Amino acid sequence: MNKMNKCPVGVILGGYVNGLGLVRSLGQAGIPSIVIDCEKNIASQSKYVCNSFICPHPVEKTPAFIEFMIEVGKQLPNKGVIFCTNDIWLIPISKYQEHLKPYYLYPMSSWDIIERCEDKAQLYNLATEAGILHPKTITLNSIDELENYEGDLPYPCVLKPSITVGFMETLGTSRRTLHIETAEEMVYWKKRINDVGLIDTPLILQELIPGGAENLYTLTAYSNRDGDILAYSTGHKIRQNPPDAGTIVSGRVTPEPELFRLGKKLIKAAGYYGISNTEFKKDPRDGKFKLIEINPRPGMWNYSVMASGINLPYMAYEEVHGRTVSPVGSTEQELIWILGVMDFYLSLYGYKKKGFSEYSMNLWQWLRTIRGAKRVEAIFKLSDPLPGIVYLQHFL
């Protein structure tokens, strides 16, 4: 810890692109960070990082991970401010708040509220109570109920766990949800879920709203302890990986008042405190936004908000230290956030190689999709070059 000064540090759990965005946002406000991950990462290479650690896996070895966090916390000169980049960090960190609070500050809600956001069955009930539209959804308590289900959801449809952590990894797929096109595919996934021991996992069977990644909109926001949004940004994906159900690789920040209105209503109803990333899909059949999920943590493209002039992590850092944070709303600036090397590779080569030829394009088509606004590169930054160099080495 000899690199650390007396300033309370940001403790970033997860060191990929979203972790790097948090590190840079805090660093540009003069706040150093430590990065904790269970593997080597790019965020730890940032000039704004004063230390980094490799930890036990937070889900597979939860007790060892919590003990590790306690030991790190004991070495900090002041309580660190925790930021989670993924659900594998968020869930154990939230469940064990009482064990960790002697060493860390939490700019987020307690587990009971976070669980209501994480559990999609509870989330959709909350949305219904708040009058927020979502895809037609059927809750199943286990795969056995899916075996006996004879409902009226047409194919294609979506199958996903009520709580996602570990489910897709155990199934051996990089998709965030399963898009089921036919009855034969449904039979295959039923068997697969049984074979890998996920028979008792609560599931969600859901209507598939038509449209591609460009129809997926997000509200990135910081809300206070009363569930009131103090600052936010809205935008939509351009591309994701995998292209039909994956993680963002490029997106456009653009004002969407209706998206903000709905997200504000949901966050207030949940009473959620902290940085959140709420996703809706714009249904081309009626032009309305339908709720997909809320991530009660920063999302992958959190740095796009910083690039548009609003530092959400610093607001959270200040408020958790008891300092007054005034509402700033949103900016009207449009910009494009892009994971450039990956987005370029997938569009010109990678999608086709992975069996998604319909999403492949040539260079000029790709360039047209990312023009019309200021571009913000997710990793490569001349003022903080080492993360980009390390990323490029691993990518190649």
Side-chain angles (χ1 to χ4, degrees):
M1 294 287 177
N2 56 337
K3 292 183 181 180
M4 232 177 279
N5 58 29
K6 294 298 181 181
C7 175
V9 298
V11 180
I12 314 301
L13 295 170
Y16 189 45
V17 176
N18 40 5
L20 180 60
L22 293 168
V23 164
R24 285 174 170 168
S25 294
L26 290 173
Q28 288 172 236
I31 309 300
S33 294
I34 64 173
V35 175
I36 297 175
D37 206 333
C38 46
E39 59 186 8
K40 291 183 179 180
N41 55 73
I42 57 173
S44 62
Q45 306 301 315
S46 172
K47 69 179 184 180
Y48 301 113
V49 171
C50 57
N51 220 324
S52 62
F53 302 92
I54 302 294
C55 68
H57 195 281
V59 175
E60 296 171 4
K61 301 178 179 179
T62 301
F65 168 68
I66 296 301
E67 186 59 36
F68 176 89
M69 291 297 298
I70 290 172
E71 290 305 312
V72 171
K74 288 178 179 178
Q75 300 177 55
L76 298 176
N78 296 286
K79 287 186 178 183
V81 182
I82 284 185
F83 293 91
C84 299
T85 62
N86 190 287
D87 291 348
I88 68 168
W89 308 104
L90 178 66
I91 291 176
I93 283 291
S94 300
K95 285 184 175 180
Y96 288 88
Q97 280 194 29
E98 294 308 312
H99 294 74
L100 297 173
K101 276 186 175 179
Y103 315 102
Y104 302 98
L105 296 174
Y106 276 72
M108 65 185 83
S109 290
S110 57
W111 169 241
D112 59 327
I113 293 175
I114 288 175
E115 182 181 28
R116 197 175 186 191
C117 296
E118 286 283 325
D119 186 330
K120 290 181 176 57
Q122 294 189 53
L123 176 63
Y124 293 134
N125 287 336
L126 176 66
T128 299
E129 292 169 7
I132 296 170
L133 297 176
H134 58 80
K136 183 178 179 181
T137 299
I138 297 162
T139 302
L140 305 168
N141 292 319
S142 70
I143 192 68
D144 288 335
E145 290 189 19
L146 181 58
E147 288 284 355
N148 300 323
Y149 172 70
E150 297 180 355
D152 60 352
L153 274 184
Y155 293 106
C157 62
V158 173
L159 181 65
K160 56 188 175 183
S162 191
I163 297 179
T164 58
V165 169
F167 185 88
M168 294 301 175
E169 292 84 353
T170 304
L171 278 183
T173 176
S174 60
R175 298 187 180 193
R176 297 177 64 189
T177 60
L178 301 175
H179 285 193
I180 312 295
E181 299 288 337
T182 63
E184 289 74 21
E185 282 190 27
M186 182 67 83
V187 170
Y188 168 81
W189 285 113
K190 287 178 185 178
K191 183 177 185 304
R192 179 66 180 157
I193 290 169
N194 265 315
D195 290 347
V196 299
L198 295 172
I199 186 171
D200 294 322
T201 302
L203 299 168
I204 297 291
L205 191 63
Q206 196 169 65
E207 164 194 21
L208 176 63
I209 295 177
E214 68 280 359
N215 286 58
L216 289 168
Y217 285 74
T218 59
L219 168 70
T220 303
Y222 174 67
S223 50
N224 63 17
R225 295 180 189 276
D226 295 321
D228 296 322
I229 293 177
L230 302 184
Y232 69 94
S233 170
T234 57
H236 65 85
K237 291 182 179 180
I238 298 173
R239 275 175 292 277
Q240 59 186 354
N241 182 39
D244 56 348
T247 303
I248 186 171
V249 290
S250 57
R252 183 181 294 268
V253 173
T254 185
E256 284 289 343
E258 177 63 9
L259 185 70
F260 170 65
R261 186 188 71 81
L262 293 171
K264 178 181 178 181
K265 191 175 181 181
L266 180 68
I267 289 169
K268 184 68 173 179
Y272 178 71
Y273 157 54
I275 299 175
S276 58
N277 185 261
T278 307
E279 184 170 88
F280 291 80
K281 190 164 188 180
K282 193 170 188 178
D283 192 332
R285 297 170 298 186
D286 59 15
K288 295 180 179 179
F289 290 110
K290 311 287 177 67
L291 175 68
I292 303 299
E293 64 181 0
I294 177 171
N295 294 307
R297 55 169 174 78
M300 178 73 85
W301 62 324
N302 66 81
Y303 191 75
S304 64
V305 189
M306 177 69 192
S308 67
I310 299 174
N311 195 333
L312 298 184
Y314 184 60
M315 293 178 73
Y317 180 95
E318 287 287 277
E319 191 163 60
V320 82
H321 280 105
R323 294 184 275 272
T324 301
V325 176
S326 300
V328 296
S330 180
T331 69
E332 296 299 313
Q333 180 180 6
E334 292 205 20
L335 59 85
I336 291 171
W337 176 95
I338 182 168
L339 187 53
V341 172
M342 179 63 74
D343 191 56
F344 175 83
Y345 166 74
L346 288 170
S347 298
L348 274 68
Y349 308 102
Y351 286 150
K352 186 175 182 179
K353 186 176 180 181
K354 293 181 178 186
F356 299 102
S357 298
E358 66 272 28
Y359 295 95
S360 190
M361 61 190 71
N362 61 41
L363 175 62
W364 304 115
Q365 290 171 325
W366 176 72
L367 287 172
R368 282 198 293 270
T369 66
I370 57 170
R371 70 182 182 183
K374 170 188 172 184
R375 285 192 294 275
V376 176
E377 165 58 45
I379 297 176
F380 296 93
K381 195 174 180 68
L382 287 177
S383 61
D384 188 26
L386 194 53
I389 294 170
V390 172
Y391 174 82
L392 190 58
Q393 289 173 337
H394 283 284
F395 184 87
L396 293 175

